[in-house]
Amino acid sequence: MNTQTSTAHEAWSTRVGLILAMAGNAVGLGNLLRFPVQAASNGGGSFMIPYFIALLLLGIPLMWIEWGLGRHAGQYRKGHVPGMFATIWRHPAAKYLGVVGMVIPIAVLVYYTYIESWTLAFAWFSLTRDYWGRETQEAMTQYLRSYQAIGDDSIHALWKPFAFFSLTLVLNIWILSKGIAGGIEKLARVGMPILFLLAVVLAITVLLLPPGPGGATPWQGLEFIYRPDLSRLDEPSVWLAAAGQIFFTLSVGMGTLQTYASYLSKRDDIALSGVATAATNETAEVVLGGTIAIPAAVTFFGVAGATAIAQSGAFNLGFATMPVVFQQIDRMVPVGNLLGFAWFGLLFFAGITSSVAMATPVVAFFREEFGFRREPVAWSIGALALLFGLWHILWFEHGMLDEWDYWAGTFGLVLFAVIETILFVWVFRPDNAWRSIHEGADIRIVPLYKVIMTYVTPVYLVVLLAWWGVRDALPLLLLENVPPERVPYVIVSRGVLVAFAVAALVLVRLAWRRNGYDDRIGFPLVGWRESALPPESVAKAVV
Amino acid sequence: MSTGALVFMLASWSFVVGLTVWSFGKILQVQKRKPVDPDKEVHPTA
């Protein structure tokens, strides 16, 4: 039995860098667009009660589970999920279950980078006032649809989405090819402060807006989000929507947090860092995410208009409504294009700090198991993502992105979280899991959390999976409500995902054979990675 | 803004900002207490 370790030594250089990278992974487009829509449509202020309960019972425990799983596998130099699962369950099936944690991030990377490229394109269109003059929701929606290669191609030629997607992907892969400390951590240390700065500037600008054409104010927008409707609290759908939002916003169930944590040693704290990461994400979501898009939309479109926009989807809110708002502001103060640039720049930084994480599990797999160098692996993944991303652009109107987003980016995440929670807490044993999380910990976690992680979190996840399985997954799987002309596209889209899974299964099998791993014996203990987090690094970084 | 909405908004903001301030404050506090690595070892990075 041997392991490929010589090419796989990587580490974080500072603790703040690590937390910013973890938070950057978590803070994404959903914080700024999905959260306010979910809050407003699920009971307003009273939505925050199940939301915070889900944070405490589901989100933070899952953070610790994923950090713990990743850090534990790090001592065997395993930064990919098949290897991680095999370190805690000595059974041939463990590695194959882990394939879920390779397929999900790579599939999400493909379509998420495509959406991220819209933000880059619209930042440019804002700066150059390309959409100026389209001052109604309908006109901007038409502009967005044209960019999405749906309908009128006289506004945007097809080369534009191709060009912006390719540019976005090259940026992602270039950063990824620089490694953990040299690429991802540097991006987080630059990108996260810029993200927060832009968000604060935009939030203050929105709150200072004068009453709109109908007399509505941004404060009515906040009222729209936070008005408590306590009668909604007895609806299971509200509790599940809150749990779903917590789940997605923290980027758990993706396979990426574990890979980041695998570059830590037993001397490094994960208990407090996990809380700090979740808290940073929540501040970005609740304080900043809730104060920009919906209050701005309410000011210019009124509560009824904003409700209709929110119901039409987060993309319309972000990419059609907000440009209309910036043009309205431009009439008062001629900085609308700069605000538009700041908004889409904010979304871009939120997106790229998440997307660079998505390829890391697969990069780790090829480096650790086949001994490949990081750069060629990163650029190969980029080529694959380019191929399938172009396919997404051409088939966007046929629902390919929706299909992948549901199976990989929604249902798949919960399925993966259920598997990893059962393995890390139950198969690995609650005592071992608890001890592992406390290795090098800077805080003692309240013992009640051991009970929560052992019983409450798994039950919460299983209920969430069952609810979505019955309500959404089964009808979708059976192609109910799918127009007949779309069925072939849906089947091919799913077929590509299945092909990804089969390819991953074969690769895992090859890796195990190549390296002579015996599932019943487990991996040789290589030892913890040398900690790269010097004790004084935080103080230096913060000061 | 109604009182109910204001209360829920301020409570939500206080909770998340409080948790963030507490966690980063704790990180700083812990780091100050920890002795500096006597070997001053240079750790390998990527």
Side-chain angles (χ1 to χ4, degrees), chain A residues 35 83 387 422 496 527 541:
Chain A
F35 165 74
L387 177 70
I422 290 171
V496 178

Side-chain angles (χ1 to χ4, degrees), chain A residues 379-401:
Chain A
W379 288 106
S380 300
I381 292 170
L384 187 80
L386 180 69
L387 177 70
F388 288 99
L390 297 182
W391 198 345
H392 269 283
I393 295 172
L394 293 172
W395 277 22
F396 182 79
E397 65 177 311
H398 302 301
M400 187 179 192
L401 193 148

Side-chain angles (χ1 to χ4, degrees), chain A residues 131-451:
Chain A
Y131 53 74
W132 246 242
R134 300 176 191 278
E135 296 184 355
T136 63
Q137 180 73 17
E138 293 71 28
M140 265 316 296
T141 303
Q142 192 188 15
Y143 183 88
L144 173 64
R145 292 281 173 275
S146 174
Y147 184 78
Q148 292 166 333
I150 302 173
D152 187 2
D153 63 357
S154 64
I155 305 173
H156 293 293
L158 198 56
W159 67 266
K160 283 190 195 173
F162 282 161
F164 279 105
F165 172 64
S166 305
L167 180 59
T168 306
L169 197 58
V170 166
L171 272 172
N172 271 275
I173 300 301
W174 179 72
I175 292 164
L176 184 69
S177 71
K178 298 291 174 192
I180 292 292
I184 291 170
E185 188 175 336
K186 275 186 183 166
L187 169 73
R189 290 173 70 93
V190 174
M192 288 303 283
I194 292 175
L195 185 153
F196 271 89
L197 182 70
L198 291 176
V200 168
V201 168
L202 282 163
I204 292 172
T205 305
V206 168
L207 291 179
L208 292 176
L209 284 174
T217 67
W219 296 94
Q220 281 173 275
L222 290 173
E223 164 86 20
F224 176 62
I225 296 174
Y226 287 102
R227 183 186 57 244
D229 179 3
L230 295 170
S231 66
R232 302 286 305 275
L233 280 177
D234 58 3
E235 293 178 22
S237 62
V238 171
W239 288 79
L240 287 160
Q245 180 59 26
I246 281 296
F247 194 87
F248 296 126
T249 188
L250 293 175
S251 289
V252 286
M254 183 80 83
T256 51
L257 290 177
Q258 298 91 327
T259 299
Y260 277 8
S262 75
Y263 300 114
L264 293 172
S265 88
K266 70 172 179 180
R267 285 193 352 210
D268 298 322
D269 160 87
I270 60 173
L272 181 57
S273 298
V275 178
T277 301
T280 307
N281 176 74
E282 289 307 306
T283 298
E285 174 154 302
V286 176
V287 180
L288 300 171
T291 312
I292 302 174
I294 289 282
V298 167
T299 306
F300 289 99
F301 294 93
V303 172
T307 307
I309 291 164
Q311 284 169 351
S312 72
F315 290 153
N316 281 344
L317 175 66
F319 294 89
T321 310
M322 292 302 280
V324 175
V325 167
F326 299 131
Q327 292 179 73
Q328 298 289 334
I329 294 173
D330 199 62
R331 287 180 168 184
M332 298 179 267
V333 189
V335 293
N337 62 328
L338 297 179
L339 290 174
F341 182 71
W343 166 247
F344 290 111
L346 165 66
L347 292 181
F348 179 73
F349 277 109
I352 196 169
T353 49
S354 300
S355 57
V356 289
M358 292 169 192
T360 53
V362 178
V363 172
F365 175 77
F366 280 104
R367 296 190 68 208
E368 291 161 3
E369 304 307 336
F370 292 96
F372 294 153
R373 286 192 308 115
R374 182 178 53 233
E375 289 83 356
V377 175
W379 288 106
S380 300
I381 292 170
L384 187 80
L386 180 69
L387 177 70
F388 288 99
L390 297 182
W391 198 345
H392 269 283
I393 295 172
L394 293 172
W395 277 22
F396 182 79
E397 65 177 311
H398 302 301
M400 187 179 192
L401 193 148
D402 291 338
E403 202 61 28
W404 281 38
D405 184 41
Y406 183 76
W407 293 110
T410 306
F411 191 79
L413 301 188
V414 189
L415 177 69
F416 177 46
V418 169
I419 297 169
E420 70 176 348
T421 302
I422 290 171
L423 286 181
F424 189 66
V425 178
W426 283 94
V427 175
F428 190 46
R429 296 287 177 206
D431 285 342
N432 290 331
W434 190 249
R435 201 177 303 120
S436 174
I437 290 167
H438 278 93
E439 290 265 22
D442 286 338
I443 53 168
R444 290 290 309 166
I445 302 170
V446 184
L448 176 65
Y449 260 107
K450 189 176 174 185
V451 180

Side-chain angles (χ1 to χ4, degrees), chain A residues 10-11 15 19 45 48 52 219 222-223 226-228 267 272 276 279-280 282-283 286-287 291 442-443 530-532 535 538, chain B residues 1-2 4-5 8-9 12-13 15-17 19-20 22-24 26-28 30-31 34-37 41 43-46:
Chain A
E10 293 208 77
R15 188 172 181 185
I19 293 171
M48 301 312 290
F52 284 127
W219 296 94
L222 290 173
E223 164 86 20
Y226 287 102
R227 183 186 57 244
R267 285 193 352 210
L272 181 57
T280 307
E282 289 307 306
T283 298
V286 176
V287 180
T291 312
D442 286 338
I443 53 168
E530 275 300 305
S531 173
V538 170
Chain B
M1 226 179 150
S2 67
F8 273 95
M9 187 184 85
S12 303
W13 287 20
F15 180 71
V16 294
V17 173
L19 193 62
T20 307
W22 173 82
S23 54
F24 278 95
K26 193 85 179 165
I27 287 171
L28 279 175
V30 168
Q31 292 303 133
K34 276 186 180 175
V36 175
D37 189 346
E41 58 182 307
H43 301 288
T45 55

